[in-house]
């Protein structure tokens, strides 16, 4: 016979030698070591506290007996088992560290969005906003009503509609102070955050449409102006053609005169189309800075010699004064030639008969945040330009005196072409004029310098270093 197998005593604490150990069952009472989850221990503590309170009150009033003690014990068991969470039942808990991490992530996302973004709750109180929104609306404050900072009825009504329907919508917001701007406001409803916690209910995303609207306005104005400029000579040509085909068919003298006028109008259209094509080509390459070195002195001398006979017919003398030494820039030879030609031609046309057009070249020393610059200055002795016209002189088809400009054969695009060429060369245009004292047009282009400086410039990015020179501008003299 085999000896009987030893059975461990209940007090030994040793598990059986074979067979799987019994699954751990939840203890009836919570252990002092805190083995149960925090929620289960809390349930047992609450039940124990309630039973002890009941027993103490009963003993004070009626004395203590065995039946009351047994009833208290039974109440403790039932209360603890009912209130404690079941196995596998999720116990809601607040993860403070996770909440702080998510909040920091949301702040980082908002901070890196370039457009204004505002989060508000269902009472239209500001929850959060990014730096762009605070820059646009300086009075925007957390936990303050949005209407304190943004008083646009369309936006506020849109928020109410989104809160009521839950459907996103778009509206426009057009502040007038400090400058006129236009924003498209996208308003959308958001679900709440964590369960049991109220989160932002509405998000406002503002997209700046100011530049797009200005470009669209410029495009419409450009089409209208170009159509008008072409329509006038075309109407003149059609009128003369009809006259030559009708009453002046056999009038040789009238035919010669009309043909001369028709030739002038056809040349005017040709110049206009050529200028439009030139402007289009320059704009296509405005982001590509030139890389070739060019000396502007021979170019200025070439233009002075070419326009000398035309200026002589008007009694205007062209003089050229160049400082010693070459004046080199990183540039496109043909485009710089066009800049000098347009400036000198304008001075000859509008500087008045019998005057003088002075062209001067010099290299200016470096200034704060600006490298040395080659200055091409053209001064006339004409009637000058009124201050209110100076900022708009480089606009397409803008003329101080439209009738006089057309008589002189101008297209209204000369200074616009100059501005765009200088933009490509990272230069600028400065216009100084006093009525009755003539005008001075100064084209400033970053200087190339000697070979060593040229090599340093290329090493440091070449002409890209001159990006801080800004765009071509007009200004009155200081």
């Amino acid at each position: 016979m085999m000896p009987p197998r030893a059975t461990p005593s209940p007090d030994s604490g040793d598990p059986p030698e074979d067979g799987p150990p019994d699954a751990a069952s939840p203890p009836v009472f919570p252990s002092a070591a805190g083995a149960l989850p925090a929620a289960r221990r809390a349930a047992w503590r609450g039940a124990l506290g309630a039973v002890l309170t009941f027993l103490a009150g009963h003993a004070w009033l009626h004395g203590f007996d065995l039946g009351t003690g047994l009833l208290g014990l039974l109440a403790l068991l039932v209360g603890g088992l009912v209130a404690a969470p079941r196995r596998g039942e999720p116990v809601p808990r607040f993860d403070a560290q996770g909440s702080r991490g998510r909040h920091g992530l949301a702040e980082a996302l908002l901070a890196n969005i370039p457009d204004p973004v505002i989060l508000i709750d269902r009472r239209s109180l500001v929850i959060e906003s990014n730096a762009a929104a605070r820059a646009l609306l300086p009075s925007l404050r957390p936990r303050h009503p949005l209407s304190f900072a943004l008083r646009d009825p369309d936006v506020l009504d849109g928020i109410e509609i989104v809160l009521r329907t839950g459907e996103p919508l778009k509206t426009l917001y057009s502040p007038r102070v400090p400058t006129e701007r236009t924003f498209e406001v996208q308003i959308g409803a958001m679900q709440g955050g964590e369960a049991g916690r109220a989160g932002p209910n509405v998000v406002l995303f503002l997209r700046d449409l100011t530049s797009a609207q200005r470009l669209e306005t410029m495009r419409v104005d450009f089409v209208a102006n170009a159509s008008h400029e072409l329509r006038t000579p075309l109407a003149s040509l059609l009128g003369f053609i009809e006259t030559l085909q009708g009453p002046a068919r056999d009038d040789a003298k009238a035919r010669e005169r009309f043909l001369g006028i028709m030739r002038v109008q056809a040349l005017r259209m040709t110049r206009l189309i050529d200028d439009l094509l030139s402007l289009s080509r320059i704009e296509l390459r405005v982001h590509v800075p030139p890389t070739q070195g060019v000396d502007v002195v021979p170019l200025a001398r070439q233009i002075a010699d070419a326009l000398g006979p035309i200026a002589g017919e008007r009694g205007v003398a062209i003089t050229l004064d160049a400082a010693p030494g070459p004046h080199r820039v990183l540039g496109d030879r043909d485009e710089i030639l066009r800049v000098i030609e347009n400036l000198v031609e304008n001075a000859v046309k509008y500087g008045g008969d019998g005057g003088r057009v002075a062209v001067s070249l010099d290299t200016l020393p470096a200034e704060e945040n600006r490298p040395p610059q080659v200055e091409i200055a053209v001064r006339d002795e004409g009637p000058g330009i009124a201050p209110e016209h100076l900022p708009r002189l480089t606009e397409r088809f803008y003329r101080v005196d439209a009738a006089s400009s057309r008589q002189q054969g101008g297209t209204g695009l000369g200074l616009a072409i100059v501005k765009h060429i200088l933009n490509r060369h990272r230069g600028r245009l400065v216009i100084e004029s006093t009525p009755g004292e003539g005008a001075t047009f100064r084209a400033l282009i970053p200087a190339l310098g000697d070979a060593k400086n040229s090599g340093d410039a290329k090493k440091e990015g070449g002409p890209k270093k001159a990006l801080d020179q800004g765009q071509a501008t007009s200004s009155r003299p200081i």
Side-chain angles (χ1 to χ4, degrees), residues 183-422:
F183 293 87
E184 180 188 63
V185 185
Q186 301 181 17
I187 309 173
M190 295 183 63
Q191 299 297 328
E194 301 174 3
R197 295 176 60 85
N201 295 100
V202 177
V203 57
L204 286 82
F205 181 83
L206 289 81
R207 187 162 65 97
D208 195 348
L209 302 179
T210 307
S211 298
Q213 286 194 344
R214 287 176 180 171
L215 288 175
E216 179 63 17
T217 301
M218 290 176 60
R219 186 189 67 82
V220 172
D221 291 345
F222 173 75
V223 172
N225 289 326
S227 301
H228 175 74
E229 293 293 333
L230 289 172
R231 187 183 299 115
T232 302
L234 282 175
S236 177
L237 286 175
L238 289 175
F240 286 124
I241 290 173
E242 291 175 358
T243 303
L244 291 175
Q245 289 177 340
R249 176 180 303 175
D250 300 324
D251 191 341
K253 186 178 296 186
R255 182 170 61 248
E256 291 298 325
R257 184 165 61 89
F258 291 163
L259 287 174
I261 298 175
M262 292 168 64
R263 181 178 181 276
V264 171
Q265 296 298 329
L267 291 174
R268 176 184 168 188
M269 285 193 296
T270 301
R271 286 193 301 270
L272 178 61
I273 294 172
D274 289 343
D275 285 350
L276 288 174
L277 292 175
S278 298
L279 194 56
S280 177
R281 285 192 296 267
I282 295 167
E283 288 180 331
L284 287 176
R285 298 187 298 171
V286 70
H287 63 286
V288 182
T291 58
Q292 299 297 322
V294 178
D295 186 1
V296 300
V297 176
L299 304 183
R301 185 173 292 111
Q302 177 182 340
I303 293 300
D305 295 339
L307 295 180
I310 299 176
E313 295 176 359
R314 299 172 177 267
V316 177
I318 301 177
T319 63
L320 176 61
D321 181 19
H327 303 283
R328 296 174 58 81
V329 299
L330 282 175
D332 184 296
R333 181 184 183 281
D334 293 336
E335 290 185 355
I336 294 178
L337 199 66
R338 187 67 181 273
V339 167
I340 303 173
E341 179 184 10
N342 285 5
L343 294 179
V344 175
E345 188 175 13
N346 278 356
V348 171
K349 286 180 179 178
Y350 310 113
D353 295 341
R356 184 173 66 95
V357 172
V359 181
S360 60
L361 303 175
D362 198 1
T363 299
L364 305 181
E367 299 177 358
E368 184 179 0
N369 298 325
R370 285 180 181 168
Q373 294 181 315
V374 172
E375 178 190 65
I376 306 170
V378 179
R379 176 172 178 77
D380 62 60
E381 298 177 349
I385 305 169
E388 62 268 20
H389 296 294
L390 294 180
R392 301 189 60 189
L393 284 180
T394 56
E395 294 181 12
R396 301 177 188 186
F397 300 110
Y398 185 82
R399 297 179 174 94
V400 177
D401 186 347
S404 173
S405 176
R406 291 192 180 97
Q407 289 177 0
Q408 301 287 352
T411 62
L413 296 173
L415 290 180
I417 292 174
V418 169
K419 180 187 73 171
H420 283 81
I421 291 176
L422 292 178

Side-chain angles (χ1 to χ4, degrees), residues 290-293 328 330 448 450-465:
T291 58
Q292 299 297 322
R328 296 174 58 81
L330 282 175
L448 176 59
D450 55 20
K452 179 178 181 299
N453 293 336
S454 175
D456 294 341
K458 291 181 180 179
K459 182 178 178 181
E460 298 174 4
K464 293 182 180 179
K465 187 179 179 181

